[in-house]
Structure formats: C-alpha cells, structure tokens
C-alpha cells in the first residue's frame, strides 16, 4: 500500500486554509516529502502523520513557495529524535540553497545527503521504490517526480518444490536475490511468475504542458498536477508565467491514461477551484480539485475492495 497526502495546494502565497505546495507519501515505514512550502509541518501534524520517518525530501525547484518551510521542518525532525540520514533530491544547486537555509537551523542530529539532478530524466532506487525525476519547463530549472513501486511476480511454491530448492532460500529468492549454494545457483526467475502491476504516483507543478509530462506520467494510478488558473481565458497569463490552466492539466491526464487527476498549486485569486472542475471533466472525467490534506491509500490491484 502507498499512502498519499496533498499537504498544501497554494501557489505563490499561503492563504488562511491553504498552505503552500507540498506532498507526502508513506511506504513501508519510509516517508517521501516533495516540496516544503510554508505551512508544511503544520499540515503534517493536522493530518496526524509523523515527521520522524521522512527519509527523502525531493524539491521540484528552489522558488520560495516550495522551500520556505524547510528550516522549521528540519529543526522539528531533529526534535523528533531523528538520527538517520535524510536524502535530498532536486535540481543542481539545491545543496547551496538548503545549506543557506540551515543557517537558521544549525546543529542537526542527522546527516543530510544530496543528489543534484542535471539530466532530463533520472531514475533513483531508494527505500523500496523508484523515484523518477523528469525535467519540466518553468522560469527556473524544475523537475517533476514519479514514485514507482514495482511488484515482482507471485511466488510459486510448487515450482520451488519441484526444483528441489531448499525452503531456507525461498524468502531470499522472493526478494530478488540470486543464491549460490555449493555447485547450485538459484535465481528468482525459477520461482517467480511474471511481474505484477505495482503502484505509481506522479507529481508535477510549476511548468507549461510539455509532451514529456504525459510520457512520464503514463499509467499512473494518481497524477497530481498544477492548475494555476481555472479559466481558459487566463491561458495567455499562464503562458507568460510558465504555469498551466485546468484544461491543460486535464489534457495531459487524458494522454497519459492515468487513473485519477488531482489539481493543485492554485493562484491566490482562485478562491473556489472546484467551481471550475466540471468544465474540464469532458476532457478527463476523473478530475478532482485537490485541497489541503486530501488523501488516498493506493492498493495493489488484487488487494482492492
């Protein structure tokens, strides 16, 4: 299972009931945070989740509405007795930015490690899932992210027995390990069926629509995409600011054939986003207006109710 919570949905500036941009997911005891705008840690606490398990912080870019909540969050993680390293992922230059912000958050009890992105596409294996980063088109270097949980084929006990594979090796083979025992070699393909459908969440904000977004979001169970403006009449403004309108996000969702689209990163002038959602459901029917702490638990296909 993969727990997903949209912590903040505001772009540019926070509003009384709308924190700045942030997303948090939980998978097998590890938490991923994407962006950390002002109000992020308050939203985490209101959700009832813990700061302690945040192992990875991925930044789309280093504009203030996406990183302004970091100093307080890092200090609170230290107060929550975090001692294990925290991995930061983001565009080239994030180390300099985060280290500068840490001037007011010194002496952390855990190590911060950095992975700076320089290519159009990166694939990083971590914490039991794959983090895919893809370059967007904004006023500064910006990346979208997909969290992909791959799932191996079903273990075939009868195949293991028929090949005389010792029981003590079964769990290791199921985890993908190749085992050498004496003159014998046991490989996962001897006992595993075809790969099963896993889980995928794609997060994309602060960009114009480009073909790469649909390509990288293809088949996602959940696609979270910016919709800075609800009205089609504001398309020219979106082009100027390098942002998107609702209908453009819906077009990307349709091309990517995702399961569900949540809109986020609203302009402060967009007071009631849900008033404009119905207008784009003819493009992508399963479009929903994101709101702070909107959540879902994604389950494997054979676990769904």
């Amino acid at each position: 299972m993969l727990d997903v919570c949209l912590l903040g949905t505001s772009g540019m500036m926070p509003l009384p009931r709308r924190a700045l941009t942030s997303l948090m997911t939980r998978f097998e005891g590890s938490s991923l945070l994407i962006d950390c705008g002002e109000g992020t840690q308050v939203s985490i606490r209101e959700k009832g989740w813990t700061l302690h398990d945040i192992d990875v912080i991925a930044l789309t870019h280093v504009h203030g509405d996406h990183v302004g909540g970091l100093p307080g969050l890092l200090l609170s993680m230290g107060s929550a007795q975090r001692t294990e390293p925290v991995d930061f992922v983001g565009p080239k230059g994030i180390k300099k930015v985060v280290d500068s912000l840490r001037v007011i958050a010194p002496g952390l009890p855990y190590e911060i490690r950095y992975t700076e992105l320089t290519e159009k596409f990166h694939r990083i294996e971590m914490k039991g899932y794959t983090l895919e980063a893809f370059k967007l088109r904004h006023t500064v270097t910006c990346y979208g992210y997909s969290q992909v949980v791959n799932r191996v084929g079903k273990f075939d006990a009868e195949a293991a027995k028929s090949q005389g594979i010792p029981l003590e090796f079964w769990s290791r083979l199921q985890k993908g390990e190749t085992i050498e025992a004496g003159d014998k070699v046991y490989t996962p393909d001897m006992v595993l069926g075809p790969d099963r459908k896993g889980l995928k969440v794609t997060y994309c904000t602060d960009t114009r629509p480009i073909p790469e977004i649909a390509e990288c979001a293809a088949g996602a169970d959940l696609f979270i995409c910016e919709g800075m403006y609800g009205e089609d009449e504001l398309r020219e403004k979106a082009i100027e600011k390098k942002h998107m309108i609702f209908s453009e996000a819906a077009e990307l969702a349709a091309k990517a054939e995702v399961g569900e689209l949540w809109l986020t990163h609203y302009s402060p002038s967009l007071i009631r986003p849900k008033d404009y959602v119905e207008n784009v459901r003819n493009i992508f029917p399963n479009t929903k207006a994101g709101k702070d702490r909107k959540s879902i638990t994604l389950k494997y296909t054979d676990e769904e109710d």
Side-chain angles (χ1 to χ4, degrees), residues 31-77:
S31 295
L32 163 69
L33 184 70
I34 303 182
D35 284 340
C36 186
E38 185 179 343
T40 293
Q41 67 168 313
V42 173
S43 197
I44 293 172
R45 294 181 187 281
E46 288 183 343
K47 174 63 180 174
W49 286 4
T50 178
L51 307 173
H52 181 274
D53 297 333
I54 299 175
D55 296 309
V56 182
I57 299 176
L59 301 178
T60 56
H61 61 300
V62 293
H63 277 165
D65 57 335
H66 293 255
V67 302
L70 279 173
L73 178 87
L74 295 175
L75 285 170
S76 294
M77 289 171 64

Short mmCIF file of all heavy atoms in Angstrom, two decimals, residues 31-77:
data_model
loop_
_atom_site.label_atom_id
_atom_site.label_comp_id
_atom_site.label_asym_id
_atom_site.label_seq_id
_atom_site.Cartn_x
_atom_site.Cartn_y
_atom_site.Cartn_z
N SER A 31 8.92 7.70 4.62
CA SER A 31 8.10 8.80 4.08
C SER A 31 8.91 9.63 3.09
O SER A 31 10.08 9.93 3.31
CB SER A 31 7.60 9.70 5.21
OG SER A 31 6.71 8.99 6.06
N LEU A 32 8.25 10.01 2.01
CA LEU A 32 8.80 10.89 0.98
C LEU A 32 8.05 12.21 1.03
O LEU A 32 6.82 12.22 1.03
CB LEU A 32 8.63 10.24 -0.40
CG LEU A 32 8.79 11.15 -1.63
CD1 LEU A 32 10.24 11.61 -1.78
CD2 LEU A 32 8.31 10.44 -2.89
N LEU A 33 8.80 13.30 1.07
CA LEU A 33 8.21 14.64 1.03
C LEU A 33 8.64 15.31 -0.27
O LEU A 33 9.84 15.36 -0.56
CB LEU A 33 8.68 15.46 2.23
CG LEU A 33 8.06 16.86 2.39
CD1 LEU A 33 6.59 16.76 2.78
CD2 LEU A 33 8.83 17.66 3.44
N ILE A 34 7.69 15.79 -1.05
CA ILE A 34 8.01 16.53 -2.27
C ILE A 34 7.63 17.99 -2.04
O ILE A 34 6.46 18.30 -1.83
CB ILE A 34 7.30 15.98 -3.51
CG1 ILE A 34 7.64 14.49 -3.71
CG2 ILE A 34 7.69 16.77 -4.75
CD1 ILE A 34 6.99 13.87 -4.94
N ASP A 35 8.61 18.85 -2.06
CA ASP A 35 8.48 20.27 -1.78
C ASP A 35 8.10 20.50 -0.31
O ASP A 35 7.60 19.61 0.37
CB ASP A 35 7.49 20.96 -2.71
CG ASP A 35 8.08 21.19 -4.10
OD1 ASP A 35 9.32 21.18 -4.23
OD2 ASP A 35 7.31 21.39 -5.05
N CYS A 36 8.39 21.72 0.14
CA CYS A 36 8.15 22.03 1.55
C CYS A 36 7.88 23.53 1.68
O CYS A 36 8.71 24.29 2.16
CB CYS A 36 9.36 21.62 2.40
SG CYS A 36 9.10 21.81 4.18
N GLY A 37 6.71 23.93 1.20
CA GLY A 37 6.32 25.32 1.32
C GLY A 37 5.93 25.67 2.75
O GLY A 37 5.82 24.80 3.62
N GLU A 38 5.73 26.95 2.99
CA GLU A 38 5.32 27.42 4.31
C GLU A 38 4.02 26.72 4.73
O GLU A 38 3.08 26.60 3.95
CB GLU A 38 5.09 28.93 4.24
CG GLU A 38 4.77 29.59 5.56
CD GLU A 38 4.59 31.08 5.40
OE1 GLU A 38 5.02 31.64 4.37
OE2 GLU A 38 4.02 31.70 6.32
N GLY A 39 4.00 26.22 5.96
CA GLY A 39 2.82 25.54 6.47
C GLY A 39 2.86 24.03 6.36
O GLY A 39 1.96 23.34 6.83
N THR A 40 3.94 23.49 5.78
CA THR A 40 4.01 22.05 5.56
C THR A 40 3.96 21.26 6.85
O THR A 40 3.17 20.32 7.00
CB THR A 40 5.30 21.68 4.77
OG1 THR A 40 5.20 22.22 3.45
CG2 THR A 40 5.47 20.17 4.69
N GLN A 41 4.80 21.61 7.83
CA GLN A 41 4.84 20.78 9.04
C GLN A 41 3.56 20.92 9.86
O GLN A 41 3.14 19.96 10.52
CB GLN A 41 6.08 21.07 9.88
CG GLN A 41 6.17 22.42 10.53
CD GLN A 41 7.30 22.44 11.56
OE1 GLN A 41 7.42 21.53 12.39
NE2 GLN A 41 8.13 23.47 11.50
N VAL A 42 2.90 22.07 9.80
CA VAL A 42 1.61 22.21 10.47
C VAL A 42 0.59 21.27 9.84
O VAL A 42 -0.18 20.59 10.54
CB VAL A 42 1.11 23.66 10.40
CG1 VAL A 42 -0.31 23.78 10.95
CG2 VAL A 42 2.04 24.59 11.16
N SER A 43 0.61 21.20 8.52
CA SER A 43 -0.32 20.32 7.81
C SER A 43 -0.04 18.85 8.13
O SER A 43 -0.96 18.04 8.27
CB SER A 43 -0.21 20.56 6.30
OG SER A 43 -1.32 20.03 5.62
N ILE A 44 1.25 18.49 8.24
CA ILE A 44 1.60 17.11 8.61
C ILE A 44 1.02 16.78 9.99
O ILE A 44 0.44 15.70 10.20
CB ILE A 44 3.13 16.91 8.62
CG1 ILE A 44 3.70 17.02 7.20
CG2 ILE A 44 3.50 15.55 9.23
CD1 ILE A 44 5.21 17.02 7.14
N ARG A 45 1.15 17.71 10.92
CA ARG A 45 0.62 17.47 12.27
C ARG A 45 -0.90 17.39 12.28
O ARG A 45 -1.49 16.57 12.99
CB ARG A 45 1.12 18.56 13.21
CG ARG A 45 2.63 18.53 13.43
CD ARG A 45 3.10 19.61 14.38
NE ARG A 45 4.54 19.70 14.45
CZ ARG A 45 5.32 18.88 15.14
NH1 ARG A 45 4.78 17.89 15.83
NH2 ARG A 45 6.63 19.04 15.15
N GLU A 46 -1.54 18.26 11.48
CA GLU A 46 -3.00 18.21 11.41
C GLU A 46 -3.48 16.90 10.79
O GLU A 46 -4.54 16.39 11.15
CB GLU A 46 -3.52 19.40 10.61
CG GLU A 46 -3.38 20.73 11.36
CD GLU A 46 -3.96 21.89 10.60
OE1 GLU A 46 -4.18 21.76 9.37
OE2 GLU A 46 -4.19 22.95 11.23
N LYS A 47 -2.69 16.35 9.87
CA LYS A 47 -3.02 15.06 9.28
C LYS A 47 -2.82 13.93 10.29
O LYS A 47 -3.44 12.87 10.19
CB LYS A 47 -2.14 14.83 8.04
CG LYS A 47 -2.26 13.46 7.39
CD LYS A 47 -3.65 13.21 6.87
CE LYS A 47 -3.74 11.83 6.22
NZ LYS A 47 -5.11 11.48 5.82
N GLY A 48 -1.96 14.14 11.27
CA GLY A 48 -1.68 13.10 12.25
C GLY A 48 -0.53 12.19 11.88
O GLY A 48 -0.34 11.14 12.48
N TRP A 49 0.26 12.61 10.89
CA TRP A 49 1.43 11.84 10.48
C TRP A 49 2.65 12.35 11.23
O TRP A 49 2.63 13.40 11.87
CB TRP A 49 1.64 11.93 8.98
CG TRP A 49 0.65 11.13 8.18
CD1 TRP A 49 -0.41 10.42 8.66
CD2 TRP A 49 0.63 10.95 6.77
NE1 TRP A 49 -1.09 9.82 7.64
CE2 TRP A 49 -0.48 10.12 6.46
CE3 TRP A 49 1.43 11.41 5.72
CZ2 TRP A 49 -0.80 9.74 5.15
CZ3 TRP A 49 1.12 11.04 4.42
CH2 TRP A 49 0.01 10.20 4.14
N THR A 50 3.73 11.58 11.16
CA THR A 50 4.95 11.92 11.91
C THR A 50 6.02 12.50 11.01
O THR A 50 6.14 12.13 9.83
CB THR A 50 5.50 10.68 12.64
OG1 THR A 50 6.72 11.03 13.32
CG2 THR A 50 5.81 9.55 11.67
N LEU A 51 6.80 13.40 11.58
CA LEU A 51 7.96 13.95 10.88
C LEU A 51 9.15 13.01 10.91
O LEU A 51 10.03 13.06 10.05
CB LEU A 51 8.38 15.29 11.51
CG LEU A 51 7.32 16.38 11.67
CD1 LEU A 51 7.90 17.53 12.48
CD2 LEU A 51 6.86 16.88 10.32
N HIS A 52 9.19 12.16 11.92
CA HIS A 52 10.36 11.34 12.20
C HIS A 52 10.77 10.45 11.03
O HIS A 52 11.95 10.20 10.81
CB HIS A 52 10.11 10.48 13.45
CG HIS A 52 11.27 9.62 13.83
ND1 HIS A 52 11.46 8.36 13.28
CD2 HIS A 52 12.29 9.82 14.68
CE1 HIS A 52 12.56 7.83 13.80
NE2 HIS A 52 13.08 8.69 14.65
N ASP A 53 9.77 9.96 10.26
CA ASP A 53 10.05 8.96 9.23
C ASP A 53 10.32 9.55 7.85
O ASP A 53 10.37 8.82 6.85
CB ASP A 53 8.88 7.98 9.14
CG ASP A 53 8.70 7.19 10.43
OD1 ASP A 53 9.69 7.01 11.15
OD2 ASP A 53 7.56 6.77 10.71
N ILE A 54 10.48 10.87 7.75
CA ILE A 54 10.78 11.48 6.46
C ILE A 54 12.23 11.17 6.09
O ILE A 54 13.16 11.74 6.64
CB ILE A 54 10.53 13.00 6.47
CG1 ILE A 54 9.06 13.29 6.78
CG2 ILE A 54 10.92 13.61 5.13
CD1 ILE A 54 8.75 14.77 6.94
N ASP A 55 12.41 10.25 5.17
CA ASP A 55 13.75 9.82 4.75
C ASP A 55 14.25 10.55 3.51
O ASP A 55 15.46 10.70 3.31
CB ASP A 55 13.74 8.31 4.43
CG ASP A 55 13.42 7.47 5.65
OD1 ASP A 55 14.07 7.67 6.69
OD2 ASP A 55 12.53 6.61 5.56
N VAL A 56 13.30 10.98 2.66
CA VAL A 56 13.66 11.60 1.40
C VAL A 56 12.86 12.89 1.22
O VAL A 56 11.64 12.90 1.43
CB VAL A 56 13.39 10.66 0.20
CG1 VAL A 56 13.81 11.32 -1.11
CG2 VAL A 56 14.10 9.32 0.38
N ILE A 57 13.54 13.97 0.85
CA ILE A 57 12.89 15.23 0.52
C ILE A 57 13.28 15.59 -0.90
O ILE A 57 14.46 15.83 -1.19
CB ILE A 57 13.28 16.36 1.49
CG1 ILE A 57 12.87 15.99 2.93
CG2 ILE A 57 12.63 17.68 1.08
CD1 ILE A 57 13.30 17.00 3.98
N ALA A 58 12.31 15.59 -1.80
CA ALA A 58 12.57 15.90 -3.21
C ALA A 58 12.01 17.30 -3.49
O ALA A 58 10.86 17.59 -3.17
CB ALA A 58 11.90 14.87 -4.11
N LEU A 59 12.83 18.15 -4.08
CA LEU A 59 12.41 19.51 -4.40
C LEU A 59 12.22 19.65 -5.90
O LEU A 59 13.09 19.25 -6.68
CB LEU A 59 13.46 20.51 -3.91
CG LEU A 59 13.78 20.48 -2.41
CD1 LEU A 59 14.88 21.50 -2.08
CD2 LEU A 59 12.53 20.76 -1.58
N THR A 60 11.10 20.21 -6.30
CA THR A 60 10.87 20.44 -7.72
C THR A 60 11.78 21.56 -8.22
O THR A 60 12.38 21.45 -9.29
CB THR A 60 9.40 20.82 -8.00
OG1 THR A 60 9.05 21.97 -7.20
CG2 THR A 60 8.47 19.66 -7.66
N HIS A 61 11.88 22.65 -7.45
CA HIS A 61 12.76 23.77 -7.77
C HIS A 61 12.91 24.61 -6.51
O HIS A 61 12.36 24.28 -5.46
CB HIS A 61 12.22 24.59 -8.95
CG HIS A 61 10.87 25.21 -8.71
ND1 HIS A 61 9.74 24.48 -8.44
CD2 HIS A 61 10.47 26.51 -8.72
CE1 HIS A 61 8.71 25.28 -8.29
NE2 HIS A 61 9.13 26.53 -8.44
N VAL A 62 13.66 25.69 -6.60
CA VAL A 62 14.02 26.40 -5.36
C VAL A 62 13.36 27.78 -5.25
O VAL A 62 13.89 28.67 -4.60
CB VAL A 62 15.55 26.53 -5.23
CG1 VAL A 62 16.16 25.16 -5.02
CG2 VAL A 62 16.18 27.21 -6.45
N HIS A 63 12.18 27.94 -5.81
CA HIS A 63 11.41 29.15 -5.53
C HIS A 63 10.91 29.11 -4.09
O HIS A 63 10.64 28.02 -3.54
CB HIS A 63 10.23 29.27 -6.50
CG HIS A 63 10.63 29.88 -7.82
ND1 HIS A 63 9.84 29.83 -8.95
CD2 HIS A 63 11.75 30.59 -8.18
CE1 HIS A 63 10.44 30.46 -9.95
NE2 HIS A 63 11.59 30.92 -9.51
N GLY A 64 10.74 30.28 -3.49
CA GLY A 64 10.44 30.36 -2.07
C GLY A 64 9.18 29.64 -1.63
O GLY A 64 9.11 29.11 -0.52
N ASP A 65 8.14 29.60 -2.50
CA ASP A 65 6.90 28.95 -2.09
C ASP A 65 7.00 27.43 -2.09
O ASP A 65 6.05 26.74 -1.69
CB ASP A 65 5.72 29.42 -2.96
CG ASP A 65 5.93 29.18 -4.45
OD1 ASP A 65 7.09 29.10 -4.89
OD2 ASP A 65 4.93 29.07 -5.19
N HIS A 66 8.17 26.91 -2.49
CA HIS A 66 8.38 25.45 -2.49
C HIS A 66 9.43 25.00 -1.46
O HIS A 66 9.55 23.81 -1.21
CB HIS A 66 8.79 24.98 -3.89
CG HIS A 66 7.70 25.13 -4.89
ND1 HIS A 66 6.95 24.08 -5.37
CD2 HIS A 66 7.21 26.24 -5.52
CE1 HIS A 66 6.05 24.53 -6.24
NE2 HIS A 66 6.20 25.84 -6.34
N VAL A 67 10.18 25.94 -0.91
CA VAL A 67 11.24 25.55 0.03
C VAL A 67 11.20 26.33 1.35
O VAL A 67 11.96 26.03 2.26
CB VAL A 67 12.65 25.73 -0.60
CG1 VAL A 67 12.77 24.90 -1.87
CG2 VAL A 67 12.94 27.20 -0.90
N GLY A 68 10.30 27.30 1.45
CA GLY A 68 10.30 28.19 2.62
C GLY A 68 10.03 27.52 3.95
O GLY A 68 10.36 28.06 5.01
N GLY A 69 9.43 26.33 3.92
CA GLY A 69 9.13 25.64 5.16
C GLY A 69 10.23 24.73 5.66
O GLY A 69 10.10 24.10 6.72
N LEU A 70 11.35 24.67 4.91
CA LEU A 70 12.41 23.70 5.25
C LEU A 70 13.10 23.94 6.59
O LEU A 70 13.28 22.98 7.36
CB LEU A 70 13.46 23.66 4.14
CG LEU A 70 13.10 22.80 2.92
CD1 LEU A 70 14.14 22.98 1.83
CD2 LEU A 70 12.97 21.33 3.30
N PRO A 71 13.53 25.16 6.93
CA PRO A 71 14.28 25.32 8.19
C PRO A 71 13.51 24.82 9.41
O PRO A 71 14.04 24.05 10.22
CB PRO A 71 14.52 26.84 8.27
CG PRO A 71 14.51 27.29 6.85
CD PRO A 71 13.47 26.43 6.18
N GLY A 72 12.24 25.20 9.50
CA GLY A 72 11.45 24.75 10.64
C GLY A 72 11.21 23.26 10.64
O GLY A 72 11.26 22.60 11.68
N LEU A 73 10.99 22.70 9.46
CA LEU A 73 10.77 21.25 9.35
C LEU A 73 12.01 20.48 9.79
O LEU A 73 11.92 19.52 10.56
CB LEU A 73 10.41 20.88 7.92
CG LEU A 73 10.21 19.37 7.70
CD1 LEU A 73 8.78 18.98 8.01
CD2 LEU A 73 10.58 18.96 6.28
N LEU A 74 13.19 20.91 9.33
CA LEU A 74 14.43 20.21 9.67
C LEU A 74 14.69 20.27 11.18
O LEU A 74 15.13 19.29 11.78
CB LEU A 74 15.60 20.81 8.89
CG LEU A 74 15.54 20.65 7.37
CD1 LEU A 74 16.69 21.39 6.71
CD2 LEU A 74 15.55 19.18 6.98
N LEU A 75 14.42 21.42 11.78
CA LEU A 75 14.58 21.54 13.23
C LEU A 75 13.61 20.62 13.97
O LEU A 75 13.98 19.96 14.94
CB LEU A 75 14.37 22.98 13.66
CG LEU A 75 15.51 23.96 13.36
CD1 LEU A 75 15.05 25.39 13.62
CD2 LEU A 75 16.74 23.64 14.19
N SER A 76 12.37 20.58 13.51
CA SER A 76 11.37 19.74 14.17
C SER A 76 11.70 18.26 14.01
O SER A 76 11.46 17.46 14.92
CB SER A 76 9.97 20.02 13.61
OG SER A 76 9.56 21.33 13.95
N MET A 77 12.27 17.89 12.86
CA MET A 77 12.68 16.49 12.68
C MET A 77 13.77 16.12 13.68
O MET A 77 13.79 15.01 14.21
CB MET A 77 13.15 16.26 11.25
CG MET A 77 12.02 16.28 10.23
SD MET A 77 12.61 16.27 8.51
CE MET A 77 13.43 14.67 8.44
#
